[in-house]
Amino acid sequence: MKKIYFIGIFSLCFLFFSCEQNNTPQNSTPGVVNQPIKSSTKVKPPENLVKALKAVEPFFQLMSKPKPDEWLANFKEDGQTFEQYINSSPILPTADRKILYIQPLGKFDQNQMKIIEMTAEYMRVFFNLPVKPLKEKALAKQLSLKNHRVDKFSKITQIRTRFILDEVLQPELPADAAALIAFTNEDLYPEDDVRYVFGQVNIETRVGVWSLFRLQKFADFEQFLTRTLKIAVHEIGHLFSIKHCTKYECVMSGTNHLAETYKRPIDACPECMAKICWMTGYEPQKRYEHLAEFSKKSGLKKESDEFTRKKIAVNNN
Ligand SMILES: [Zn+2]
Ligand SMILES: [Zn+2]
């Protein structure tokens, strides 16, 4: 059977996370109540989520007309509403399989470890799922000629993503994993004819790998952090069958380069927020509260204020 891969070509999105401890939000129960829906069953969106969805619409911009080098000018996509998602038999975390494992591959400096730690926490509060780091693993020893190359332009050694996904991660997938995500400092490529990727996930085997290599270039700490947060949750969203968003400027929208990633918010739009909350039984106001706390702690003042206002809007609705 053909495997389903989502890749971040050129500068697409994708990447992220890991490291330290679980910090599961209090007052909410991680993990998940919904089971995949059979295709013959038409599910009506829960009323509380529809109300929350409406309440936060004013915080998001409808998708603007793409510039020629942007994602939607190059890829025809239909998008996916909340209702379409819950009727699509999505892959969901379950009570027995809800942990997002993080596998650091290689060595990271202090700054990178901080980014990884913060991204792990963002993943937890964004999806309401426990995140567990695994022990660092070296990658270099496992390299052979067929799974790495030297980029002829940059002269940088790059690693083939499929090698990491299929040979390093897939055999190690823990039984209780919703997904196993590796991140690395190495530059990645998916196929011989593609220059590089930020990362790649395999939806069927629930593994993904992302590189910090290009995300930290020409970026101060906040830019490095927000790029990483966006790519992390975008890719995890794909692992749970969330398609690219075309309705709003959304963290789940496809991006063709970092400039396009930059203009997107770190949050999911109303439709995608409802998918995430439905997926784990997450209350929208709790989600916004946790995201506001995370952003405040992380020095993201604008985002923190906005998450707080979204929480108020949901509460008042
Ligand atoms: Zn994507
Ligand atoms: Zn969206």
Side-chain angles (χ1 to χ4, degrees):
M1 184 199 252
K2 194 171 186 306
K3 290 181 176 172
I4 303 167
Y5 291 91
F6 267 91
I7 59 174
I9 309 175
F10 310 126
S11 332
L12 315 194
C13 11
F14 318 66
L15 160 335
F16 81 96
F17 63 97
S18 139
C19 109
E20 284 225 348
Q21 254 319 9
N22 284 355
N23 220 357
T24 303
Q26 293 170 354
N27 306 323
S28 66
T29 307
V32 183
V33 289
N34 299 298
Q35 294 298 322
I37 304 302
K38 293 192 172 56
S39 55
S40 57
T41 313
K42 180 83 172 167
V43 181
K44 273 204 74 74
E47 204 176 316
N48 68 317
L49 293 182
V50 173
K51 279 174 103 174
L53 184 159
K54 295 276 173 217
V56 295
E57 277 177 349
F59 293 91
F60 292 86
Q61 288 178 13
L62 291 172
M63 181 61 75
S64 51
K65 187 171 184 296
K67 294 177 186 155
D69 63 342
E70 292 186 334
W71 183 267
L72 285 174
N74 294 280
F75 299 92
K76 165 103 184 73
E77 292 181 325
D78 296 330
Q80 180 190 50
T81 65
F82 173 41
E83 187 163 1
Q84 285 169 338
Y85 175 75
I86 65 179
N87 283 289
S88 68
S89 301
I91 295 167
L92 300 172
T94 67
D96 297 332
R97 222 171 62 185
K98 66 185 180 191
I99 298 172
L100 298 172
Y101 283 92
I102 301 205
Q103 175 66 72
L105 288 175
K107 295 277 175 210
F108 301 89
D109 65 29
Q110 235 182 351
N111 202 39
Q112 292 166 332
M113 287 309 289
K114 184 75 192 154
I115 292 283
I116 289 162
E117 241 176 77
M118 293 165 88
T119 306
E121 190 180 347
Y122 191 59
M123 286 161 57
R124 271 191 288 277
V125 296
F126 195 92
F127 289 106
N128 194 33
L129 291 171
V131 177
K132 282 191 184 171
L134 298 170
K135 204 161 161 259
E136 255 178 42
K137 196 176 207 173
L139 192 56
K141 285 181 196 155
Q142 302 169 49
L143 288 179
S144 69
L145 281 178
K146 70 175 170 51
N147 53 41
H148 79 291
R149 71 180 182 189
V150 176
D151 177 44
K152 60 185 170 198
F153 300 103
S154 64
K155 308 297 179 204
I156 288 164
T157 298
Q158 300 174 300
I159 299 178
R160 186 189 289 274
T161 45
R162 293 282 294 274
F163 161 69
I164 297 175
L165 296 175
D166 299 346
E167 295 180 41
V168 178
L169 299 178
Q170 191 178 334
E172 301 290 330
L173 184 74
D176 56 359
L180 170 60
I181 310 296
F183 76 101
T184 174
N185 268 332
E186 306 287 345
D187 201 18
L188 301 173
Y189 72 103
E191 304 293 345
D192 289 341
D193 56 354
V194 177
R195 174 94 189 278
Y196 65 83
V197 289
F198 282 131
Q200 186 169 353
V201 295
N202 182 333
I203 290 177
E204 281 187 355
T205 55
R206 312 197 309 282
V207 295
V209 58
W210 293 285
S211 169
L212 295 179
F213 180 80
R214 291 176 188 268
L215 294 181
Q216 60 191 325
K217 283 192 170 179
F218 312 111
D220 60 21
F221 186 83
E222 185 174 320
Q223 287 166 330
F224 184 18
L225 175 64
T226 52
R227 284 175 182 177
T228 309
L229 299 180
K230 288 174 190 178
I231 286 168
V233 297
H234 177 108
E235 290 304 312
I236 300 286
H238 280 327
L239 284 168
F240 295 129
S241 309
I242 299 178
K243 291 187 177 175
H244 279 156
C245 190
T246 58
K247 184 171 178 183
Y248 291 96
E249 299 279 352
C250 169
V251 77
M252 283 310 302
S253 304
T255 80
N256 219 14
H257 45 64
L258 281 177
E260 195 174 7
T261 303
Y262 176 75
K263 70 174 187 171
R264 299 273 154 68
I266 65 170
D267 193 16
C269 79
E271 299 281 340
C272 296
M273 173 278 292
K275 298 170 197 175
I276 291 161
C277 288
W278 177 82
M279 188 195 294
T280 64
Y282 206 178
E283 289 178 26
Q285 63 272 35
K286 280 287 168 206
R287 180 173 177 275
Y288 288 128
E289 184 182 319
H290 296 147
L291 289 167
E293 283 164 11
F294 166 85
S295 304
K296 192 174 176 192
K297 246 185 347 191
S298 306
L300 302 174
K301 188 174 181 318
K302 181 172 80 68
E303 285 80 1
S304 174
D305 290 348
E306 194 167 296
F307 282 130
T308 301
R309 287 190 288 119
K310 288 174 188 167
K311 179 194 154 191
I312 293 167
V314 172
N315 281 342
N316 290 344
N317 197 273

